[in-house]
Amino acid sequence: MHLALKALLTMIRKIHSLIVLLFWAVAVSTASAQSPLQPESPIRPDSPIRPGDRIAIVGNTFADQLRIHGYLETMLLQRWPDNPVSIRNLGWGGDMLNARDRPTNFPAEEETLSAHRTDVIIACFGMGESFAGEEGVQSFQAAVDAWIKSLEGKTYNGKSQVRLVLVSPIANEPLGKLTPRHEQRDREISAYSQAMSEVAIAAQVPFVDLYQTSRYLMDEPIGPNFTTNGIHLNSYGYWAMSHYLFRDLVRDDPAAVQPPWQILIDAADLTTQARGVDISDAARTEAGIKFRATELIAPTLPPPTSDDLPPQLHHLRDSMTITNLPPGIYELTVDDVSVATASHDDWARGVTIDASPAHQEAEAFRRAVNDKNLQFTYSWKALNQVHIVGERKKSPSGRALPAEVIEFNQLAQKRDAKLRDGIERQTRNWRVTRIH
């Protein structure tokens, strides 16, 4: 009886997860049907994230580590280049709603939220609290409810009440000996995610369910691990989860869920179709074809792994398909930069494109996002607290620290302003040449 019930619950969980991912697929299809050249649809007033929002991220290790990977922030910045968001990450490893200890004389969170003129807070909690077991769920629900109520009437931007978004913890990834209590821990995390969802629904606060999404992806045997120890995402995990978190944050704006680049070319008659780029001047060459591609949207950031991805994530990558090429091996170059090499059969099936000059510029932009976050961290969470409140407070370096903190904050603001320029979209020369 126990095994039958367990099998039924597992089936229900997978069906729910599939429904969640199908919703995203429908959203992508809806966005695909809209030409990037058409005006964007109006932003619904209840959209979790809106153009120009000043965002603060608070929470546990998941929140804290978002700042050093930069995928989510890069996607949000690229989404509205004419009115970009601005983000400050206040995450702190190990934070829980009722346990957020800070060093002596550390600035109050409200001060930082006000200084940033925060419009919306993205809160990531539940993982640390889940270690209290299922008997701690009710206390956690009460803490989430109390936290939401504590922010009622707060106007950090000086004009409107701060908006909230709640983000669940991820599932517990089964990693053999690294996760000896996997099933129990996963049940506990699931219970805390569900508890957060119930409070969010009651309070009419947007809720992002990363538990169900990550559980579904972790059950797929193909692809690298998402975490280092079952609960802390690695760089690949942050790449994948950031895509789904982004899509939930802009879910009420169908035009915001822009699908990756997709280029389709028939080498026989040079007919073309494209999404994300505009193709022109297609022509044959002695050993292949050439054309010009004008970038309409920013390229998709490549995953930080060379391993095969699970099928559920293939739709997150830019690709090009060329049919009717004569047999042979063909190299793609973009502005004379080698991007991909594949056989005519592989090109006919579709080849991932994520090493073009535009992709390299997108990666450089992500590194700039990470650098901005580093400067802010130095200004907000100075690494050597002994110089602030400890025995070296009156030393030359201790006396110099306040001025240095101010300078780091100014550096963060300058880098933030530079990020508003976004990634320049260009027209580039693409060439596919037979090399064997």
Side-chain angles (χ1 to χ4, degrees), residues 172-186:
N172 185 257
E173 184 176 25
L175 296 179
K177 293 181 180 180
L178 288 176
T179 51
R181 296 171 55 240
H182 160 66
E183 292 187 0
Q184 179 182 343
R185 286 293 299 128
D186 199 53

Side-chain angles (χ1 to χ4, degrees), residues 322-339:
I322 310 175
T323 58
N324 294 318
L325 281 171
I329 304 298
Y330 291 81
E331 179 187 31
L332 166 67
T333 60
V334 178
D335 284 351
D336 297 324
V337 174
S338 179
V339 174

Side-chain angles (χ1 to χ4, degrees), residues 295 297-299 357-358 361-362 365 421-428:
E295 298 149 9
I297 61 174
E361 290 165 10
F365 186 83
D421 295 336
I423 300 171
E424 183 180 359
R425 300 168 189 175
Q426 300 185 33
T427 298
R428 305 179 198 266

Side-chain angles (χ1 to χ4, degrees), residues 97 137-149 166 192-207:
L97 273 170
V137 170
Q138 288 187 344
S139 295
F140 175 64
Q141 276 191 313
V144 175
D145 185 61
W147 182 76
I148 292 174
K149 287 183 169 62
L166 295 179
Y192 279 76
S193 176
Q194 179 62 30
M196 182 185 286
S197 172
E198 292 171 1
V199 176
I201 291 172
Q204 297 184 326
V205 169
F207 172 70

Side-chain angles (χ1 to χ4, degrees), residues 359-377:
H359 291 85
Q360 295 173 17
E361 290 165 10
E363 269 296 296
F365 186 83
R366 184 177 71 90
R367 290 193 295 271
V369 167
N370 296 342
D371 181 62
K372 180 270 296 182
N373 288 331
L374 181 63
Q375 305 310 316
F376 171 71
T377 300

Side-chain angles (χ1 to χ4, degrees), residues 137-302:
V137 170
Q138 288 187 344
S139 295
F140 175 64
Q141 276 191 313
V144 175
D145 185 61
W147 182 76
I148 292 174
K149 287 183 169 62
S150 73
L151 292 168
E152 291 179 357
K154 301 292 185 181
T155 55
Y156 301 118
N157 62 9
K159 57 185 179 182
S160 59
Q161 178 171 309
V162 66
R163 309 192 318 271
L164 307 177
V165 180
L166 295 179
V167 180
S168 82
I170 64 166
N172 185 257
E173 184 176 25
L175 296 179
K177 293 181 180 180
L178 288 176
T179 51
R181 296 171 55 240
H182 160 66
E183 292 187 0
Q184 179 182 343
R185 286 293 299 128
D186 199 53
R187 285 196 304 271
E188 292 166 349
I189 296 170
S190 176
Y192 279 76
S193 176
Q194 179 62 30
M196 182 185 286
S197 172
E198 292 171 1
V199 176
I201 291 172
Q204 297 184 326
V205 169
F207 172 70
V208 179
D209 187 353
L210 288 186
Y211 172 81
Q212 292 291 349
T213 303
S214 58
R215 173 76 281 136
Y216 180 76
L217 293 173
M218 290 172 182
D219 284 344
E220 172 59 52
I222 300 174
N225 294 335
F226 286 87
T227 68
T228 58
N229 61 356
I231 60 173
H232 293 151
L233 292 172
N234 54 29
S235 58
Y236 165 69
Y238 274 102
W239 175 84
M241 287 297 100
S242 291
H243 279 85
Y244 290 104
L245 178 53
F246 166 76
R247 286 176 175 162
D248 259 358
L249 291 176
V250 299
R251 61 175 178 250
D252 292 318
D253 175 19
V257 187
Q258 291 182 332
W261 292 358
Q262 188 176 67
I263 300 172
L264 306 174
I265 301 177
D266 187 331
D269 59 14
L270 295 181
T271 56
T272 65
Q273 298 180 55
R275 184 179 67 196
V277 297
D278 181 60
I279 304 300
S280 61
D281 300 332
R284 293 186 182 85
T285 64
E286 290 185 2
I289 60 175
K290 65 179 182 177
F291 57 91
R292 289 170 65 78
T294 300
E295 298 149 9
L296 303 177
I297 61 174
T300 302
L301 291 167

